[in-house]
Amino acid sequence: MSEPVADAVREGETATRTIPAGRPLVVLAGGLFWGWLLLRWLNDWLGGLFVPRGEPFVSPEAVEALGAAVPALRGLFDSTAFAVTYLPALSAGVWLTIVLTATSIALGFVLAVPLSVARVYGRWTSYLSLAYTELLRGTPLLAQLFVIYYGLNFVQYVPPLLDGVFANNAVWAAIVGFTLNSAAYQAEYIRSALLSVESGQLTAGRAIGLTKLQAIRYVVLPQGLRFAIPGWTNELIYLIKYSSLAAFITVPELFQRTNAIASDNFRYTAMFSLAALLYLALVISASRLMNAVEDRVAIPGLGARGR
Amino acid sequence: MSDPLLRVERVSKSYGDEQVLREISFEMDRGDVTVLIGPSGSGKSTMLRCVNRLTEVDSGEIYLDGERVTGPDVDVNELRRQVGMVFQDFNLFAHLTARGNVMLGPRQVLGLSKEEARRRADEQLALVGLADQADSYPAELSGGQKQRVGIARALAMEPKLMLFDEPTSALDPELIGEVLEVMRDLVERGMTMLVVTHEMSFARSVASEIMFLDGGRIVERGPPEQLFERPEHDRTATFLRRITQLHS
């Protein structure tokens, strides 16, 4: 708990929390974004519930017409009309970006917990964990994806049960790549959090007769994982953006779709600005969500939120 | 003729070049309260930790209830469920309530059902006077309350022997009394206790034997009256004089 780095992070957290941000504005924007996204997916999956599949909810021509009526704001209305035209296509990419990120961070977490425990408490397993972490953190993620997708031709190993869940099985290759890579980073965050749990906690657990694994499971991990939340949130935010690398192995996520449309209409700046806004909305949502999780699991006297 | 509950035979322990225990031998019968006193660094805490093998001895043997506890083939978890330990810094599980702290051992080590473990935890908390604090987290308790939870946590395992490692040293003076009171209750209930403490009046009133350790050796041992009134060694006399002055 007295680890200076961890304290600095926690103090930083507290500071951002006390800034009276335009909370209602954020909530409103978040509600609009997610409301639109959910309606959009629902509409397109159910084969055109409100408007034909892939068609905007509001006609871009109508928006442009509004702009013609108010010449002073013409540019704004033109941009909005542009966004309205292409957002439906991008929303499907947002879906894959979320699926890639959520699945990989979750599976990566499942791997990261044993990796970090092995690293902190293991004997020979600690070297195994170190080797894994260094290998995965020390090589480019894109290279890892290429090895999995092109090198190993991973698509041929997708089991029949999972085959066809996504239109393109490259998604599975991407999930495997992101999971393996993210596990290494998450393990590092969790490792440093485990080290900040007081050593007396493990001793006390052993003293009542818990085995080492039980003491880790019931005493150290519940505390360490709470300490790990801020760092882990960082990894989640990175992964949202790194998931764009899946475009290079043909996964039609947000970046890939943006790029495909831009190379068609040559409006690169506009298209990627639009994509940037969508990524930003995802990132802000993720960090808000993790803030809420951190508050939810806070325990009096433990970590930043408990104070 | 039954074995003594605890038999320590010629136990030695070094950390690097520093020998903290030199051939320590003593015995405790059931219901005995043995108090270890001595200057800091004299090996008292190390001796305690050798008994439940939080620290491994270099040489010598320790027997609990006739069973050898030193040696590589001993199940240390089985040993530790029979030996309760109370720490100077409490070491309460910071993420669990008082009740959760006491329940964890019965639940995970003894395999009691959740209801049974909970009942046992509430009983033990009531015995240390904390029935009303069962849902408090460690950070919400005073030092004295924390230490009483620590005692309840150890007692919930129904140990044969309790080890107290300076249980009141980290407490504000006004909180020491409540912890000593709980320990006195425990003595009256017949618990066998090996206690490291600087509370001389407590030692004097409850100990069946006091051992004065210095430099890793038992310099002097005997019933409290003998040690306090007719110490044989100058070192014992000097230490007792200094410590009683400090605490009066």
Side-chain angles (χ1 to χ4, degrees), chain B residues 228-243:
Chain B
F228 279 96
E229 277 153 37
R230 303 179 300 280
E232 285 172 14
H233 291 262
D234 285 347
R235 270 194 288 172
T236 320
T238 315
F239 174 78
L240 285 174
R241 207 178 318 119
R242 211 176 286 149
I243 202 101

Side-chain angles (χ1 to χ4, degrees), chain A residues 200-201 203-211 214 218-219 222-223 226 299-302, chain B residues 49 54 76-77 80 83 87 91-95 104-105 108-109 137 139-140 153 157:
Chain A
Q201 296 284 312
T203 309
R206 298 305 311 271
I208 57 170
L210 294 173
T211 64
Q214 281 180 316
Y218 295 109
V219 178
Q223 300 181 37
R226 285 180 167 87
I299 280 172
L302 198 69
Chain B
R49 295 167 71 94
L54 286 177
V76 290
N77 301 316
R80 287 172 187 159
V83 180
F87 299 89
N91 286 349
L92 292 189
F93 305 133
H95 63 300
L104 186 64
Q108 299 303 334
V109 179
Y137 285 95
E140 300 168 324
R153 176 174 71 182
M157 303 297 289

Side-chain angles (χ1 to χ4, degrees), chain B residues 178-226:
Chain B
E178 61 189 74
V179 172
L180 293 182
E181 197 180 319
V182 167
M183 290 173 68
R184 269 180 228 276
D185 278 354
L186 211 50
V187 174
E188 271 166 36
R189 275 150 57 197
M191 178 57 75
T192 314
M193 295 159 60
L194 181 56
V195 184
V196 173
T197 187
H198 294 298
E199 291 298 320
M200 290 305 144
S201 59
F202 172 78
R204 197 166 180 168
S205 60
V206 303
S208 27
E209 184 175 50
I210 296 183
M211 299 197 289
F212 173 62
L213 262 70
D214 195 8
R217 279 184 226 281
I218 300 179
V219 175
E220 188 165 357
R221 65 206 288 177
E225 313 78 53
Q226 183 195 314

